[in-house]
Amino acid sequence: ISSIGKSLLTDVVDAIDPSPERATDILLTLQNESCKQKPTAAAASNNNGSNDTNDNTCIVTIAILENTRIGKTLTKTVKACKRHKRTASQEETPQWEKALELAETLLTIYKSAADAEAKQTAIKKKKSEAAAEEASSAESSEGLPSNTSAYKARLITQKKELYKDPPALPPSHILIEETWVKSPKRDN
């Protein structure tokens, strides 16, 4: 995918006189490399070569997008295709429109794939944090802590500010009374 991005930059974005056919070919190659096709039962029985009955699933992840910078390259390609379409002859305008449409389609596919992956990662992170918080609160919420590491863990999970590390344990002679006493009255 990285080499396809480099050829997009050299042959379409930075080229003095780019070809719309070359741009379309590179974009089609990028689409074929980044999206794998799952043939359906109807496509397997027909086998007529049309891609209309296939479901395309994008295999592009956030890591691939970051490493190859293909998203930025596609954005530059969209802008370059628009510019070339404006300055092209009437015969080349429909070909540039096709290249522009393909580049925009790939860009939206990549954006939606990145959004979906980010949402799944956030959901997994929330679930793991909730499970860890539930486990730690069940263990350490009852009574006074027995040692400084347990006390520090409790303070961190409750998001308290640590004034010194390791924290000093509270005094052990505190009695927790079963019944509450009324608050004292003031003399007037």
Side-chain angles (χ1 to χ4, degrees):
I1 292 179
S2 180
S3 62
I4 296 171
K6 288 177 185 175
S7 61
L8 266 176
L9 285 175
T10 57
D11 294 343
V12 179
V13 177
D14 296 334
I16 296 171
D17 188 24
S19 167
E21 293 88 11
R22 177 75 177 139
T24 306
D25 288 343
I26 294 172
L27 289 169
L28 285 173
T29 304
L30 179 62
Q31 184 180 25
N32 291 338
E33 288 294 320
S34 64
C35 295
K36 58 183 176 183
Q37 296 180 349
K38 292 181 181 177
T40 59
S45 64
N46 289 343
N47 211 5
N48 59 3
S50 68
N51 290 338
D52 296 338
T53 58
N54 291 344
D55 293 332
N56 288 336
T57 55
C58 196
I59 58 169
V60 174
T61 62
I62 292 176
I64 292 173
L65 290 174
E66 287 176 351
N67 291 338
T68 61
R69 298 194 173 272
I70 196 68
K72 292 184 179 199
T73 304
L74 273 175
T75 304
K76 290 178 184 179
T77 303
V78 167
K79 290 179 182 179
C81 286
K82 288 179 180 177
R83 183 178 66 243
H84 293 311
K85 186 179 95 171
R86 273 195 316 268
T87 60
S89 64
Q90 289 183 351
E91 297 85 33
E92 288 185 339
T93 302
Q95 296 168 341
W96 279 115
E97 287 177 357
K98 182 180 177 186
L100 178 65
E101 180 183 334
L102 188 57
E104 287 175 341
T105 303
L106 281 172
L107 196 58
T108 55
I109 288 172
Y110 290 168
K111 284 181 181 180
S112 65
D115 287 342
E117 184 179 352
K119 287 178 183 177
Q120 288 177 351
T121 305
I123 289 171
K124 286 180 184 176
K125 185 177 178 183
K126 281 184 181 180
K127 285 182 180 178
S128 66
E129 285 177 356
E133 184 177 316
E134 188 176 304
S136 67
S137 66
E139 294 172 356
S140 64
S141 65
E142 304 229 357
L144 294 174
S146 58
N147 55 22
T148 56
S149 61
Y151 186 50
K152 181 179 178 181
R154 183 184 297 182
L155 290 175
I156 290 172
T157 56
Q158 294 175 356
K159 297 180 181 171
K160 304 288 184 180
E161 187 173 343
L162 292 176
Y163 294 104
K164 61 181 187 175
D165 194 13
L169 286 172
S172 61
H173 65 275
I174 296 175
L175 297 175
I176 301 174
E177 297 183 9
E178 296 287 328
T179 59
W180 290 89
V181 179
K182 291 183 182 179
S183 59
K185 294 184 181 179
R186 296 195 173 243
D187 295 332
N188 286 334

